[in-house]
Amino acid sequence: MTATNTPTRSTGAERRNTIRTLLGTGAGNAVEWYDWAIYATFSTYLSAQLFSHEDPTSAFLATLAIFAVGFVARPFGGFLFGWIGDRVGRTTSMTLCVALASLGSLAIGLAPSFDQWGAWSSLLLLVARLVQGLAHGGETPNAQAYLSEMAPAEKRGLWASLIYVSGTTGTVIGILLGAILTVTLSTDQMNSFGWRIPFIVGAVLGVVALIQRLQMRESKAFEINKAETAAITFEKKSLFSEFMENRRSALQIIGLTVGFTVVYYVWSVSTPAYAINVLGMSPSDALWPASSPTLPSSR
């Protein structure tokens, strides 16, 4: 006869594991998107502090160009950390992603100004953004796969949606912090040290998320698939051939996500930057509207 307290212990353990899974994945994802968003939020200050003062317009365009470089790095991050996630483990890959994203924020927050280091400051910003781009490229697919594998079958869609909820939350927090700082600090204080605060905060939050992710365990589905994969010999195919075989599905996914992605970045990046640098609005007036909740997207 089965002991009556066995199901209770199992239920309690599963409940704790569920909380650990949702908190670790959600908090880490929120920190990742916080780190990603604050670069755009404080792009005006980055261009003034880490680039030459001779041509402010060129400096600002260079800052946005480095923001775009992060997008170039994201597919490579998807390949790299996707491979790590499939071979080593989802939690290992996600832990590395949040660590690299926070390391990039710390590097930006502590970067010497252009007056101190010259072009080396701009180069440091570029390297930090490349690191963050790699991390962000690996975060979303690994986190989605992990949540889908950990979730009960009837709640798989609900759990996977946490990625968009936590990601948008992290972005809004970053923009909101920018709005608060521009109200509480003077222009000189923002130019001197205020713009560094959100990046250092991101690094600290990254340590918290890192600790949470170190406590997460791999899904049973991953362990089973890993064991089965080790016993099977696969025919090696190139990435291009895989894409061509699944081009219809791939193009459908791209088409479904590109619209929301463009709208999201126009609102969260282009609009505040345009208002501050072209229309001459104060940073606080431009950032408060942008800190309102935005439409979820794949970003």
Side-chain angles (χ1 to χ4, degrees), residues 232-238 242 245:
I232 301 175
T233 302
F234 292 96
E235 177 186 356
K236 292 185 177 181
K237 296 182 180 180
S238 67
E242 290 279 5
E245 289 182 7

Side-chain angles (χ1 to χ4, degrees), residues 118-132:
W120 289 105
S121 297
S122 307
L123 180 60
L124 177 60
L125 179 64
L126 174 62
V127 172
R129 199 59 187 173
L130 283 171
V131 169
Q132 287 188 323

Side-chain angles (χ1 to χ4, degrees), residues 53 105 132 154 228 251 266:
H53 308 304
S105 282
Q132 287 188 323
E154 69 277 8
E228 292 178 347
L251 292 175
V266 167

Side-chain angles (χ1 to χ4, degrees), residues 4 45 64 83 87 92 97 102 124 131 165 167 182 186 191 205 218 220 230 237 257-258 268:
T4 56
Y45 299 99
L64 293 184
W83 182 87
R87 302 299 192 281
T92 299
C97 286
S102 300
L124 177 60
V131 169
V165 175
T182 55
S186 67
N191 288 322
L205 293 176
E218 290 294 345
K220 294 180 180 179
K237 296 182 180 180
T257 58
V258 68
S268 66

Side-chain angles (χ1 to χ4, degrees), residues 17 19-29 88-100 139 146 205-218:
N17 184 60
I19 295 174
R20 189 181 298 116
T21 296
L22 295 178
L23 284 180
T25 307
N29 192 60
V88 182
R90 313 284 191 217
T91 59
T92 299
S93 184
M94 290 191 298
T95 300
L96 289 173
C97 286
V98 75
L100 286 177
E139 167 69 18
Y146 178 74
L205 293 176
V207 173
V208 176
L210 185 64
I211 294 173
Q212 289 182 324
R213 288 196 167 179
L214 288 173
Q215 298 174 351
M216 293 162 55
R217 66 176 178 84
E218 290 294 345

Side-chain angles (χ1 to χ4, degrees), residues 157-268:
L158 178 63
W159 281 38
S161 67
L162 175 65
I163 295 301
Y164 302 106
V165 175
S166 60
T168 301
T169 300
T171 300
V172 171
I173 290 174
I175 299 174
L176 183 60
L177 178 58
I180 293 173
L181 286 174
T182 55
V183 170
T184 56
L185 299 179
S186 67
T187 301
D188 290 340
Q189 289 174 326
M190 283 298 302
N191 288 322
S192 175
F193 65 88
W195 67 271
R196 299 180 184 273
I197 294 175
F199 294 98
I200 296 175
V201 168
V204 174
L205 293 176
V207 173
V208 176
L210 185 64
I211 294 173
Q212 289 182 324
R213 288 196 167 179
L214 288 173
Q215 298 174 351
M216 293 162 55
R217 66 176 178 84
E218 290 294 345
S219 65
K220 294 180 180 179
F222 171 80
E223 298 292 351
I224 294 173
N225 290 336
K226 184 178 179 180
E228 292 178 347
T229 301
I232 301 175
T233 302
F234 292 96
E235 177 186 356
K236 292 185 177 181
K237 296 182 180 180
S238 67
L239 177 63
F240 179 76
S241 63
E242 290 279 5
F243 175 81
M244 292 305 296
E245 289 182 7
N246 301 279
R247 59 186 179 276
R248 180 182 178 87
S249 298
L251 292 175
Q252 285 177 335
I253 293 174
I254 293 172
L256 286 170
T257 58
V258 68
F260 273 131
T261 302
V262 171
V263 170
Y264 171 82
Y265 279 107
V266 167
W267 175 253
S268 66

